[in-house]
Amino acid sequence: MAAEHFTTPDATALRRAYYAEVAGRYWKRSVTEAEIDQGLLDFPADDLVPPTGWFVVGRLDGRPLACGGIRLLDPATAELTRVYVDRRARGTGGGAALLAALEEAARQLGATRLRLDTRTDLVEARALYARHGYREIPAYNSVPYAQHWFEKTLDAAAS
């Protein structure tokens, strides 16, 4: 896992794959390139850069197959976003490694807790978060499509 600007070709391809999957699952159909373009405009990633954010790309055998971002909500709270693991990397520990990298990035930004929102149909994501110590909490935002909210208190050192 390595920090990478969200506009690099690999990061952009992963963000497009993320949007194609989450939108396609929600709409129960394949999404068009134009819909992906619009989704990236509607949900920009320009806050996922230091000093208030971070974007990470994960590679398996040199291939970019995972990504995720964090943004500070306040000095103590960071939010996970755009967490994505390509189907080819699922079951390899890539999700756990991605979460560990994002949690460390949040610590480096001074956060002591992480929050996220997700949807009911993203079953694998919800299971990943629960396995790694995230607990469901009441809604902390009114983001469109959010149906579940999670939080994890971060230890001072990596877990």
Side-chain angles (χ1 to χ4, degrees), residues 81-105:
T81 186
R82 317 287 192 303
V83 175
Y84 173 73
V85 177
D86 185 286
R87 290 183 187 283
R88 295 170 291 175
R90 293 178 189 164
T92 67
L98 179 60
L99 283 180
L102 291 166
E103 289 170 8
E104 182 55 31

Side-chain angles (χ1 to χ4, degrees), residues 2-6 15 44-57 67-84 97-117 129 134 140 152 154:
E4 193 165 317
H5 198 275
F6 69 90
R15 288 187 308 112
D46 51 349
D47 58 347
L48 303 180
V49 295
T52 59
W54 209 271
F55 194 78
V56 172
V57 171
C67 69
I70 60 166
R71 68 170 64 93
L72 286 177
L73 298 177
D74 61 51
T77 309
E79 180 179 51
L80 287 174
T81 186
R82 317 287 192 303
V83 175
Y84 173 73
L98 179 60
L99 283 180
L102 291 166
E103 289 170 8
E104 182 55 31
R107 283 184 199 91
Q108 289 179 19
L109 292 175
T112 57
R113 74 174 161 239
L114 269 172
R115 288 184 171 173
L116 66 97
D117 61 66
Y129 301 133
Y134 290 79
Y140 66 90
K152 180 178 182 178
L154 298 176

Side-chain angles (χ1 to χ4, degrees), residues 2 20 41 44 85 88-89 91 124 133 141:
L41 287 173
V85 177
R88 295 170 291 175
E124 303 90 343
N141 64 25

Side-chain angles (χ1 to χ4, degrees), residues 110-142:
T112 57
R113 74 174 161 239
L114 269 172
R115 288 184 171 173
L116 66 97
D117 61 66
T118 191
R119 295 192 327 243
T120 299
D121 64 318
L122 300 176
V123 176
E124 303 90 343
R126 290 182 17 244
L128 175 71
Y129 301 133
R131 273 194 315 273
H132 292 279
Y134 290 79
R135 62 180 177 77
E136 201 149 352
I137 61 170
Y140 66 90
N141 64 25
S142 57

